[in-house]
Amino acid sequence: GMTMATKLALAATIPLTLAGSLWVVLPAADPPAADPPPVIAGEARFRVGTQVVNPGVEAFTATTDRIGNSFLRNGGYGFEPPQLRNKFTAAADGENSIAIDRTRLTGYDSYREGIYDGAEVLILRIVDKKFRLVRRDRVAAGGHKSSGWVNKLGGDKLLAPTAAAYTGGLETWSRPEAPYWFTLVSVDKQGRQGAPAAAIRFDRSANPVKTAKGEDEGLVNLQRQRGKNTAPVAPEGSGPAAPTGLAVATDDATGQPRFTWTPASDPVVAGYRLLRSDTDPASHAGYRLDLAGTASSADEHIRAGDMVIVRKELLATSRRTHLTNRIYDAKAHREFLPEGIDFHADEDPALSWTLEPHAADTPVVGGGQTAARFDIRDGREFAIAPYAYGPSSQHWWPTFLPDRDYTVEFWAKADKPLTVTFNLTGFYDPKGKNVVAPATFALTTAWQRFTHTIRVPVRYDGNGSIGGYKLAVTGPATLWLDNLRIVEASAPYAALTPDDLRMFSEARVSAIRTHAFIKTGTSSYSMTQLLAPAGAINATSGNTLPQTLAIMEQVKARPWLQVEMHMAPEEWLAFVEYLAAPYNPAVDTPTTKPWAARRHAQGRTQPWSDAFDRIYLEISNETWNGLFRPWTFDNMKDAATGAELDRGTVYGLFQEWFIDQLAASPWWKQAGLDRKVEFVIGGWATQTKPDGYGQRAIAASPRSRHMTIAAYNGGWDEGEGPMTQSDASLQRILLFAAQVGSARSRDFAAYLAAEKTAGRGSYVNGVYEAGPGYALSGLNNQAQMSPEEVEGQAKAMKSLASGTATLDSFLEKASQGFVLNNFFTLARGRTHWVSHTDVKLGGHPHLPFATIQLFNREGTGDLLGVEVLDAPRISMPAFKRRPAGKDMPLAMTYATRSGDRVNLFVLSRRLDKHPDPASDGFTPTTIELPFASAGKVTLHRLTGDPRTHNLDAETVRIERIELPASILAARAGGSALRLDAASGADARGLPPAATLLYVFEGTK
């Protein structure tokens, strides 16, 4: 972010509008205040003006993950082919071969040579500040080269220079009964690596391998000794000589290799690296993709720095041939398996599977590209038997409720008449006391749809283990299976259940952001799958575009579509045609309009684009964040000018290329998508300088409309760790908008104002994710959290205090001109980023979303300027990344107007310092209003103990109270509202952590 001097200088240039200008952020070096800090006493007085600071503020938006009716967390099993998609940077110039960094090409030593054979390759290059697709080709058969040495110790860890033995080198999940090759290489104190010792082979047995005791003992860190005149690190092989006499044997206690050697005598040796390979060093071929085609011109030659997108459909995978020995028995080996299949097809001669394409005239409705074929060649029982449900005491697995029916459904056929059985396992096992009767199905050689309805006798309470279901058949037989699901019987698969329809309808969000379509990594989806019926897709828990658009249309929300960036030009053209092209069966054909024909065949006769007045479009997610590789951006060089372009600029230029692909469709303008679609750039909240990631990106993408940032209250995004229900923690939650959010908002608003002054800046600011922030074990260096810490965090971040703070943060952004303001996420759960409780607990909103929902239902309109005339204030010390804050108002007011209706939000940022009765936290408050009278006054009130939450029951609700219009006192130029018992507040004023919304109708 900016330096403090720059922030303060910039703040001095910003007009004094609304509350954002009323405090400055002080350096973290200021002496910390007492905890809890003293409050500067006083009455809160505000003046609502008539100036519109943000016109037409619409309902806030929300992100969803998987949506639609599915009892199974993963959306069910559609048995669709995984899509291997990846993005690389060319490491060197080449003609028909792409050199790629070993770590990236192997996925950190995960993918074996050959997995990319036959993959389609797109080569993109920046030329004169524009992306160009300079070449399309395929990886030749045998063209994926991925073999060499891997540093087993990692980083700058070395075996000590005097060491002569070491035990270790294999992960416990590494491949058994396989050969491995090892060598040692000497490293000097400048980091130069010498030639390797003669390689040795180690044959791992079938016996389990254990972690060697003290495996990391005796390792040293390379301390590079570089002075001002030290030469750069020399190339590998120029360093000291290797140790000699390297030998290996199996350690009897662990099954690990035990190495012995004679140390090198050279005093410059800092230590030794242990290198490992899955293949004989004599066959090492490096790391590259050799292309099947031949460059037709110099422009098609590969250049170092080119962006390389690789795309391959995987109808079958094998950990023997596609995955490295390192991860052979790790969970990662399931990455490219279709949902519902947890074994590879080439390991058991008596059991295999294939993904078999559906015939054009298949009777399977919504079958997608493929079905699963299982060949059982002996008399075993073959079953699909995953975990599926849990007890009501846990929060990650669904719980069956005894007041509703559930439907098991699937399509199947066999090579002969065959019986398939279904039953629940665990708590509801047929052999237990809570019996759910099993079902049998008679298969034939023709495809049939099978359904079975179940109802559990009791809810599974207590702290029991996870249960599942079992779909089983006895061989020998060949079984074809597709679209295996469990759903609530109240709605079709992937449609909204009555409970979720009520949740979405009450939320009144203006747009839904589709998180289910991103964060897919290298096992992603194709456009063919995205445009398929629900369930016929990989990597999105069954959500597809038509299913998601139908829900958006049903709940009257605009689409905010996130789609992975890896699509080829023809896929983007398909996307536009599917959305926007009309289809008349009397005139059009599947040949002339294949994607419009697909939409029509799905039952959608009119273009989807006709259903919405606006569509927001965003590629991938947090493209600056390494957690979401490979769908992020790196620095690149302009091939024409040689200019080094930062990754934010690269993002913006890629966005322009993406827009060009859409605009190449004849339906882009004919259907008005050029006016209806608004493109979103995802920025970086903490980079507030003009050279920040988002600012660079939006500057390079003039056709993008929204530059958005995250605005979480605390949590891992802010590096604040888990919050608690302590006074200090709750007060930080309440003051986030004042202490952190407002300064950032001003910085982004000031940059936009400067851009507009310079004749640029045709965009608006926004927020792509916001709401309570949470710490998560392992994320951003967060230590493992105990269940008590997770629960305490949930109580704090879903408390009344957090509810008021959430609305404060959203309205603060709106007051600085931010247009899109998005809550993360509209979903059910207890502990982390969710808006509502599970249905088993009532399904009501948590308090942070209750306040957002209140604004969406009652508070939209033109946002008016509000002047803070006086307020009790507080100074807070710095906390982790949060800077100190001085004299921050402990109450805030926001107002919107729609016609003769004025909505007045009065929010308390003050804690009651419970349980001290001498400091009750009430704030005497008066608001001057710009109208003389109102025909009707309604108060929506959310008050109570700031620590209260609705985790287990809806103990706190928003009250609706009709008030007499006489509560307004006359004053020159308008009227005044005093918060007291008569106005529905309290005799002492604004209650602590309260959210009050006064709605004045018929104002004059």
Side-chain angles (χ1 to χ4, degrees), residues 299-319:
D299 281 347
E300 290 195 350
H301 289 185
I302 310 303
R303 298 192 190 181
D306 283 348
M307 180 186 292
V308 181
I309 295 178
V310 182
R311 309 158 64 244
K312 182 179 181 181
E313 187 167 272
L314 298 175
L315 288 171
T317 57
S318 166
R319 60 178 173 171

Side-chain angles (χ1 to χ4, degrees), residues 708-737:
T708 59
I709 60 170
Y712 286 105
N713 186 341
W716 84 270
D717 299 81
E718 294 295 329
E720 293 190 353
M723 291 291 191
T724 69
Q725 286 192 299
S726 70
D727 283 358
S729 190
L730 289 172
Q731 190 64 77
R732 279 194 293 271
I733 292 171
L734 281 163
L735 287 171
F736 179 81

Side-chain angles (χ1 to χ4, degrees), residues 909-924:
R909 297 168 170 168
R910 191 170 185 174
L911 201 62
D912 63 0
K913 302 301 182 293
H914 179 81
D916 180 5
S919 178
D920 57 20
F922 287 80
T923 305

Side-chain angles (χ1 to χ4, degrees), residues 639-651:
T641 65
E644 295 285 346
L645 304 177
D646 65 277
R647 59 185 183 146
T649 298
V650 172
Y651 176 18

Side-chain angles (χ1 to χ4, degrees), residues 454-517:
I454 60 175
R455 180 177 283 231
V456 299
V458 294
R459 193 176 76 173
Y460 180 18
D461 292 327
N463 296 300
S465 60
I466 306 302
Y469 69 88
K470 181 177 178 181
L471 191 73
V473 63
T474 299
T478 297
L479 169 70
W480 286 264
L481 192 62
D482 207 0
N483 290 357
L484 172 58
R485 301 156 180 166
I486 300 178
V487 300
E488 287 192 26
S490 59
Y493 171 67
L496 289 182
T497 64
D499 290 312
D500 283 349
L501 177 58
R502 182 169 59 254
M503 179 180 77
F504 277 90
S505 299
E506 291 176 353
R508 299 279 183 88
V509 293
S510 61
I512 294 173
R513 183 168 173 257
T514 57
H515 228 45
F517 296 158

Side-chain angles (χ1 to χ4, degrees), residues 89 132 141 219 252 299 325 341 357 364 383 396 398 436-437 547 560 563 595 602 728 797 820 843 855 864 998:
T89 298
R132 289 177 52 202
L219 299 184
D252 292 336
D299 281 347
N325 292 347
I341 301 176
V364 179
W396 297 109
V436 173
Q547 168 257 348
W560 181 341
V563 183
W595 299 100
Q602 292 169 355
M797 299 313 289
L820 292 175
F855 177 86
L864 303 175
Y998 290 91

